[in-house]
Amino acid sequence: MARKIDRWLPVEEISEQSARERSVISRQTPLNYLHVWWSRKPLTASRAATLLTLVPEDADEDKLARILGLHSKDAWKFSPLRERRLREQLREWFREATGSERPLVVDPMAGGGSIPFEALRLGCRVIAGEYNPVAWLILKATLEYPVEHRGELLERMREFFTEVRRELERRVSEFYPHTDRFDNIWVKWIECPSCGLRVPCTPNWWLLRKQGKPEESYVILPDVPEDGNEVELDVVKYSEVKDEFDPTREGTVSRGVVTCPRCGAKIRRKQVHSLFRRQFEGEPPGDRPFVRAYLAAVVEGSGRGKEFRTVTGRDLEYFERAREALFERWEELVAEDLIPTEEIPEGEKTREPRLRGINRFYKLFNERQLLAHAELLSVIRELSESLDEEHLEPLTVYAMIAFDKIINYNTICSRWHYGRGSVVGIFDQHAYSWSWDYGEMNVLAKDGGWNWAAPNVLKAYEEMVKLLRGVEERPEVILGDARELPALLDEEPDAIVVDPPYYGSIQHSELSDFFYVWLKRSPVAEVLPEGFLEELTPKEGEVVANPARQEDPDEEYERLLRESFEAMREALSEDGRLTVMFTHRQLRAWDTLVRTLRDAGFQVNAAWPVWTESQWSLHQREKAAVRYTLVLACEPREGDGEEAWWSEVRDEVRERVEEAVERAERQGLEGVDKLVVAYGAALSAHTGYERVLDEETGEEVEPERVLDEARRVVADLELEELEAGGLDEEGRFYVLYRAFYGYPSKSGAPDWDEVRRLGLVLGVDPDDLGYVERYRGRAYLRSFEDREKEELSPDGSSVDALHLALHRLDEGREAVQEVVKEADGVVELARALAAVARRRYGDPEDYPRELRRVMSLLSALGESPPGQRTLDEY
């Protein structure tokens, strides 16, 4: 039976809501602040993908929009199971489409849990699987415990967390001066090879930078000695020194090169790495392989009451006390297995710390951070021994989740963000990011440390319980390889909704090792031993491209992904459906994803783009390179081994693309959205066969060629609508780029390969066009403002001539008319761009500068822009 997702998905509404989930911290879902997990999908998009997979094609769209929460300010907060009529409607649709009022939904790569969480909220039975034990633990905390224990666990959790805080305070209070202090800010130093100065390494000296408010901004003022090797650091308000000190220009680091502020020596990047490696050499207690840094500033208070002050000798005494305590107790702490001594493995995302000598996990912390974490772990261990059997597992898991929140923000790579005035987690950029400064958390602070992490976990749990009200079926969370899915299940799923990893963009196992090495030392490993049997997280079966450990990463990734899809195909029921959510920006994602799906026995029925980045606020006109989540609706292909000739399939592709474009336009989709829908239609024809062969060569037709045909069809339809079919090849390319991608910035421009393929179907190669700039894998189309008038000629293409005319507009009508007489296609191109302006931007006040100039050009030539009524028509 056809499903709704094959024909309809409210792209704009889902995109807007998904972006809202990520744009403001106060709006974020409880899943997002429970525990960090990389590439967690928005709840709204996950609900839409799941719901529309499970309902019949003729399901009422207004009712579906209600169930999706699109009537609400924040759709994810709406729980359809709490309305009786919606519950009944869901069951009726599910029964019609799947034969069950409570269909089984499986996500074998569940990660952060968004898809199974929303499947539960639709009344489905749910199985969530994960290969990574850290993600598996997060899933249990996200799905199992809130449904099984409901609100009654909250009070037990509060009591346990309070006990932890009291015992932690007893053990480590001697290492912190008082609990009003929120953070310490450290700046790392290296010894200048020329003069011996301990050079503070920092790109700038800002502590808090408030634009236009120097009296509320703070800076660190360095005092470099003539004699001696210690730099003194003072904290002052920027307003006091702004006339004689530039905190931005006075920094000592630029592009990895450190400049000594005393002798002026340039310490190149490789030597900087070498100097840091010396600091981390050896092993305690004989050696002291920890970061060397200046305690540069103290932050007291929090929120608007936050203040910065200069470090005192007493501040340093407390740190030194902790430092000495760590080394005195080192052998005892290691013997009690409270220190993560495992080596950080060579990997794709571990290069930065290893390059500087941080080769073991404990070296990611300074001495006080490490001691405080070891003591906190010890406290959780000891107090968990008195917990009753019923609550032992959830309470220790949530306690360790709070522990993980602390260590994420309390490392020597947790940089200080002077724009926000706060510490940023170590995985802010999906890697073990290096930072020149770092924030150290006071684990006993009133609004920080355990007193921040534990309430956040309590809040996340309480909100998840509220969102899951009405859920009757207890979910199942399994630890296992997606490639072994049939063996892991006792029942065939009605639907598999999955968000697989994309190539090597995120190395989940490498990153999660950071948490794993602590979790395996905790009571969690005793109550859930199956997840913590190895030294580090398993990596052999991880679906990822990792050049650090694979000979051919792309081939290995595609093999693992294909085998995973094959297992899903085998596991599905006869009428089961597969929906894939896949976030990417690069063109090759289409080719890989579709080829692996086809080879695994699936047919693609439709494709939908969901824009999940906060750039949605810029509207679709500038979202050219914003990463979108591709939603692919798939079903098992009927029959085996069926082949077809490309000439026959091509006709089918063109027919389906034309139908899909018409359907997309009825839904109000334009630009890239329409292209994606067209791709899905083209692939539905292609993947209906196991193989499509070229008559002339006998070779298999790959998805890339099918997508080219879709581009060709969409291009023809667009050019016809814009009345631009008579332009030269470059003119048609220019118009279509602006129609699909608008006027993005260089960093926001679309993927180069995607634009190149569009150009090639039009007969032009962007590599040969002087106004197409390749920028970091993107294709930036230069406007007339980006080009000098002297480089343009009316004898060139219609694009060159138009840009010249736009430049000469300031010289008057005659100058413009001179260009128009000498060149072909200027007016036609200008009229086509005017049509793009009206359709894409609507309000003339929103037109980019070039399009406003085009309107002026047409006016100067006495032309009425397309769609504008003449005087007689008025």
Side-chain angles (χ1 to χ4, degrees):
M1 172 185 285
R3 304 293 171 84
K4 194 67 178 183
I5 198 168
D6 297 334
R7 307 288 292 178
W8 180 81
L9 188 146
V11 170
E12 295 212 11
E13 295 86 347
I14 297 298
S15 297
E16 185 172 6
Q17 287 285 351
S18 296
R20 282 170 64 83
E21 285 186 37
R22 297 186 170 196
S23 60
V24 180
I25 291 177
S26 60
R27 283 201 198 103
Q28 287 192 351
T29 73
L31 280 68
N32 284 337
Y33 56 81
L34 175 69
H35 193 294
V36 62
W37 193 255
W38 307 272
S39 69
R40 185 183 270 120
K41 288 291 173 285
L43 295 184
T44 306
S46 301
R47 186 189 303 185
T50 305
L51 172 64
L52 301 182
T53 301
L54 294 169
V55 300
E57 183 181 18
D58 60 357
D60 183 86
E61 291 168 11
D62 290 336
K63 291 180 180 178
L64 288 169
R66 174 77 184 179
I67 292 170
L68 291 171
L70 301 183
H71 61 285
S72 305
K73 181 179 179 181
D74 294 305
W76 64 270
K77 294 181 180 180
F78 179 72
S79 298
L81 293 183
R82 297 173 70 177
E83 292 190 13
R84 182 178 59 81
R85 60 186 180 85
L86 295 183
R87 284 199 309 272
E88 293 175 352
Q89 180 65 80
L90 281 168
R91 290 171 182 173
E92 179 184 331
W93 280 337
F94 291 163
R95 186 172 58 250
E96 180 182 349
T98 71
S100 171
E101 290 186 353
R102 299 182 186 278
L104 175 60
V105 176
V106 172
D107 179 358
M109 299 173 167
S114 297
I115 292 170
F117 190 83
E118 286 303 309
L120 281 174
R121 298 179 72 200
L122 292 171
C124 302
R125 293 175 296 133
V126 167
I127 297 177
E130 247 302 332
Y131 182 69
N132 187 295
V134 177
W136 171 66
L137 200 70
I138 296 169
L139 288 171
K140 293 178 80 69
T142 302
L143 305 172
E144 280 190 0
Y145 306 147
V147 173
E148 180 181 356
H149 296 280
R150 310 286 179 175
E152 63 90 14
L153 187 65
L154 269 173
E155 191 55 38
R156 296 298 304 271
M157 206 185 303
R158 288 192 187 96
E159 291 173 359
F160 184 58
F161 286 179
T162 299
E163 290 180 34
V164 171
R165 178 181 58 77
R166 288 172 181 161
E167 183 60 21
L168 178 65
E169 186 172 351
R170 188 184 70 80
R171 296 193 188 189
V172 302
S173 60
E174 63 179 301
F175 307 126
Y176 299 94
H178 51 74
T179 56
D180 288 336
R181 178 185 303 178
F182 191 68
D183 287 308
N184 294 312
I185 303 171
W186 297 78
V187 176
K188 297 164 187 170
W189 60 257
I190 56 175
E191 188 173 296
C192 175
S194 298
C195 71
L197 183 72
R198 292 180 173 177
V199 180
C201 302
T202 179
N204 62 74
W205 292 103
W206 288 103
L207 276 175
L208 180 65
R209 187 177 188 179
K210 292 193 174 182
Q211 294 290 347
K213 297 180 179 180
E215 69 283 352
E216 296 181 23
S217 301
Y218 287 84
V219 297
I220 299 171
L221 196 64
D223 183 8
V224 180
E226 292 183 7
D227 300 313
N229 294 320
E230 296 278 346
V231 176
E232 292 187 7
L233 304 175
D234 193 15
V235 174
V236 298
K237 286 189 174 182
Y238 178 51
S239 56
E240 299 174 11
V241 296
K242 64 184 182 71
D243 293 332
E244 62 267 9
F245 180 68
D246 186 338
T248 301
R249 296 175 62 87
E250 297 288 338
T252 59
V253 178
S254 178
R255 298 183 178 181
V257 176
V258 176
T259 301
C260 177
R262 181 164 66 189
C263 71
K266 300 283 186 184
I267 311 171
R268 301 298 173 185
R269 185 173 300 184
K270 286 186 177 181
Q271 191 172 12
V272 170
H273 294 166
S274 175
L275 291 170
F276 274 116
R277 280 197 295 272
R278 292 181 193 174
Q279 298 180 8
F280 294 103
E281 287 177 350
E283 298 294 333
D287 302 302
R288 300 199 168 187
F290 290 87
V291 69
R292 305 289 187 265
Y294 288 105
L295 180 51
V298 173
V299 188
E300 294 185 339
S302 61
R304 294 185 177 180
K306 188 179 297 183
E307 293 185 353
F308 300 80
R309 68 166 174 82
T310 302
V311 174
T312 66
R314 186 170 173 78
D315 297 318
L316 295 171
E317 287 174 13
Y318 278 98
F319 177 78
E320 192 61 31
R321 189 182 300 168
R323 188 169 182 264
E324 291 307 315
L326 175 71
F327 292 120
E328 287 174 10
R329 298 179 52 199
W330 182 264
E331 293 180 342
E332 169 198 340
L333 294 170
V334 171
E336 293 178 7
D337 203 20
L338 293 169
I339 301 291
T341 55
E342 291 86 351
E343 183 177 354
I344 298 175
E346 291 187 15
E348 184 67 11
K349 299 296 183 181
T350 60
R351 291 175 180 170
E352 288 297 305
R354 287 184 60 89
L355 200 60
R356 295 165 176 84
I358 304 174
N359 60 346
R360 296 191 181 276
F361 283 97
Y362 74 81
K363 296 181 183 181
L364 286 166
F365 309 95
N366 74 20
E367 295 91 330
R368 181 163 55 186
Q369 289 172 334
L370 184 61
L371 179 62
H373 298 162
E375 289 287 13
L376 177 55
L377 178 60
S378 177
V379 168
I380 294 172
R381 263 193 204 170
E382 293 177 19
L383 293 180
S384 68
E385 294 175 359
S386 61
L387 295 173
D388 61 78
E389 187 174 347
E390 179 185 0
H391 299 103
L392 174 61
E393 181 182 321
L395 289 181
T396 52
V397 168
Y398 286 121
M400 286 307 297
I401 284 177
F403 178 96
D404 282 356
K405 291 180 80 69
I406 290 177
I407 64 173
N408 182 29
Y409 287 88
N410 201 32
T411 76
I412 63 169
C413 294
S414 303
R415 67 185 174 90
W416 179 255
H417 194 299
Y418 62 79
R420 301 177 197 163
S422 62
V423 178
V424 174
I426 185 174
F427 297 118
D428 183 49
Q429 297 180 10
H430 297 175
Y432 289 88
S433 304
W434 174 256
S435 61
W436 299 102
D437 58 23
Y438 68 93
E440 182 197 6
M441 183 182 288
N442 178 350
V443 298
L444 301 177
K446 289 180 180 178
D447 296 313
W450 186 256
N451 291 319
W452 159 78
N456 263 273
V457 173
L458 283 165
K459 180 183 176 184
Y461 180 83
E462 185 174 23
E463 290 192 12
M464 288 188 298
V465 168
K466 288 179 181 178
L467 292 175
L468 292 170
R469 282 178 185 167
V471 172
E472 298 175 3
E473 298 284 345
R474 181 181 173 183
E476 182 181 355
V477 176
I478 56 177
L479 179 65
D481 191 332
R483 297 176 299 162
E484 300 171 0
L485 186 61
L488 298 173
L489 302 178
D490 297 325
E491 181 182 352
E492 293 179 333
D494 296 293
I496 294 175
V497 185
V498 65
D499 169 29
Y502 169 55
Y503 277 94
S505 58
I506 300 175
Q507 301 290 337
H508 289 92
S509 64
E510 289 183 6
L511 303 184
S512 59
D513 280 338
F514 174 81
F515 300 111
Y516 181 89
V517 294
W518 291 97
L519 289 169
K520 76 172 191 176
R521 291 172 160 80
S522 76
V524 170
E526 296 179 16
V527 295
L528 296 168
E530 64 270 35
F532 302 93
L533 301 175
E534 305 296 331
E535 181 176 11
L536 298 172
T537 58
K539 297 173 177 62
E540 189 66 27
E542 183 183 22
V543 182
V544 71
N546 190 318
R549 64 171 191 266
Q550 297 165 343
E551 288 187 13
D552 189 334
D554 288 356
E555 182 178 316
E556 186 70 3
Y557 168 77
E558 292 181 25
R559 179 185 68 81
L560 291 165
L561 185 62
R562 183 182 64 255
E563 290 175 358
S564 299
F565 283 143
E566 287 172 346
M568 295 177 208
R569 173 68 180 86
E570 182 182 346
L572 273 173
S573 64
E574 183 178 347
D575 297 321
R577 296 294 298 260
L578 170 69
T579 295
V580 181
M581 302 178 71
F582 201 72
T583 301
H584 76 101
R585 184 179 60 81
Q586 295 179 319
L587 180 62
R588 68 171 177 165
W590 281 97
D591 191 63
T592 300
L593 185 58
V594 172
R595 187 169 57 251
T596 52
L597 283 167
R598 183 201 60 197
D599 292 349
F602 285 103
Q603 174 178 338
V604 176
N605 289 343
W608 305 98
V610 174
W611 307 85
T612 58
E613 306 297 314
S614 59
Q615 288 96 321
W616 174 263
S617 61
L618 298 176
H619 197 259
Q620 70 170 15
R621 60 181 179 268
E622 307 302 353
K623 67 184 182 185
V626 178
R627 293 193 314 161
Y628 58 79
T629 292
L630 174 66
V631 180
L632 284 181
C634 310
E635 65 179 325
R637 187 173 54 246
E638 294 183 2
D640 292 317
E642 188 174 357
E643 297 180 350
W645 295 113
W646 172 233
S647 60
E648 299 168 355
V649 175
R650 183 173 55 209
D651 292 339
E652 189 178 349
V653 166
R654 295 185 68 87
E655 183 179 337
R656 292 197 188 188
V657 168
E658 289 177 1
E659 292 175 358
V661 168
E662 183 180 344
R663 190 167 63 248
E665 289 175 344
R666 287 200 301 270
Q667 293 183 36
L669 302 183
E670 294 291 346
V672 181
D673 294 341
K674 193 155 56 176
L675 263 181
V676 171
V677 172
Y679 293 164
L683 294 170
S684 69
H686 178 249
T687 55
Y689 304 93
E690 184 171 337
R691 297 177 72 207
V692 177
L693 303 176
D694 185 289
E695 292 93 333
E696 295 182 4
T697 65
E699 295 180 353
E700 188 170 348
V701 174
E702 294 294 339
E704 185 178 84
R705 189 169 172 186
V706 181
L707 296 181
D708 279 344
E709 193 64 28
R711 290 185 189 94
R712 189 172 288 110
V713 174
V714 176
D716 290 344
L717 293 172
E718 287 285 292
L719 292 170
E720 181 180 353
E721 183 179 340
L722 296 169
E723 299 181 3
L727 288 169
D728 61 11
E729 293 169 342
E730 290 191 32
R732 294 199 299 270
F733 170 75
Y734 195 87
V735 166
L736 287 178
Y737 182 105
R738 297 307 186 197
F740 291 144
Y741 310 115
Y743 284 80
S745 64
K746 287 184 181 181
S747 60
D751 182 66
W752 175 268
D753 289 336
E754 172 68 30
V755 173
R756 184 170 184 271
R757 300 300 304 187
L758 175 64
L760 291 176
V761 301
L762 295 169
V764 297
D765 188 340
D767 275 315
D768 300 330
L769 304 179
Y771 49 85
V772 183
E773 181 180 342
R774 189 194 292 254
Y775 178 79
R776 296 182 178 178
R778 305 173 190 269
Y780 173 69
L781 195 64
R782 298 164 67 195
S783 71
F784 86 99
E785 292 177 295
D786 298 318
R787 308 180 72 191
E788 297 294 333
K789 182 169 62 175
E790 291 71 25
E791 70 180 82
L792 302 171
S793 167
D795 298 329
S797 67
S798 60
V799 178
D800 289 342
L802 175 66
H803 284 174
L804 178 60
L806 294 176
H807 270 294
R808 298 196 66 182
L809 191 57
D810 292 332
E811 300 173 25
R813 179 180 298 182
E814 291 183 4
V816 171
Q817 289 176 333
E818 181 182 332
V819 175
V820 172
K821 286 178 184 179
E822 294 183 37
D824 293 326
V826 174
V827 174
E828 291 80 0
L829 178 54
R831 289 178 62 83
L833 289 173
V836 169
R838 188 185 71 257
R839 190 180 72 182
R840 188 179 182 90
Y841 298 92
D843 189 342
E845 292 188 5
D846 292 333
Y847 289 2
R849 286 174 57 86
E850 180 173 278
L851 292 184
R852 291 201 297 270
R853 193 82 165 179
V854 165
M855 295 303 186
S856 299
L857 175 69
L858 289 171
S859 178
L861 294 172
E863 293 278 342
S864 298
Q868 181 175 307
R869 287 181 288 177
T870 65
L871 183 60
D872 291 339
E873 290 173 320
Y874 273 103

